[in-house]
Amino acid sequence: QVQLVESGGGLVQPGGSLRLSCAASGSIFVFNAMGYYRQAPGKQRELVAGIPSGGRADYADSVKGRFTISRDNAKNTVYLQMNSLKPEDTAVYSCFARRGIITYWGQGTQVTVSS
């Protein structure tokens, strides 16, 4: 059974940085795509960044130039480096891993940007 375990969330001041990690276990396959969504209170869930197994990453306009997504296929792990964080980045961040028509989800991690 595939499980995604997230780590790296927390509280950070505006302008600070955090690095999220999401490790997938229970799969011998490389996922077609991995990435992160986020959802803030009262707002719709949005795709933050996604990265295919062998292609270019895609980012939400609101995070371009500040966030960088990467993945280690050998470890089935995806990373989200978040720099120059803003209060509006505050949300629950959930990683996903997709293979074919099946999408797996992490448990979600809270990121709070506040002074």
Side-chain angles (χ1 to χ4, degrees):
Q1 185 174 353
V2 175
Q3 289 189 323
L4 302 185
V5 178
E6 300 186 50
S7 60
L11 173 64
V12 64
Q13 291 187 341
S17 297
L18 281 175
R19 188 188 192 218
L20 305 183
S21 299
C22 175
S25 62
S27 173
I28 62 172
F29 302 106
V30 173
F31 295 101
N32 302 115
M34 301 183 79
Y36 283 88
Y37 279 80
R38 69 183 180 185
Q39 187 165 23
K43 293 188 176 181
Q44 285 192 328
R45 188 178 66 175
E46 67 168 340
L47 176 65
V48 178
I51 183 168
S53 59
R56 230 168 65 173
D58 189 32
Y59 297 92
D61 288 342
S62 57
V63 307
K64 282 180 182 176
R66 300 187 297 123
F67 290 12
T68 302
I69 192 168
S70 60
R71 62 186 286 178
D72 184 335
N73 290 332
K75 296 181 179 180
N76 262 340
T77 299
V78 63
Y79 307 95
L80 184 67
Q81 178 66 43
M82 306 185 292
N83 298 329
S84 302
L85 283 161
K86 304 176 181 179
E88 51 263 44
D89 293 318
T90 296
V92 174
Y93 286 68
S94 299
C95 70
F96 71 90
R98 187 171 298 129
R99 179 170 174 81
I101 62 171
I102 300 175
T103 301
Y104 303 93
W105 293 95
Q107 80 276 17
T109 187
Q110 177 70 44
V111 171
T112 302
V113 185
S114 175
S115 54

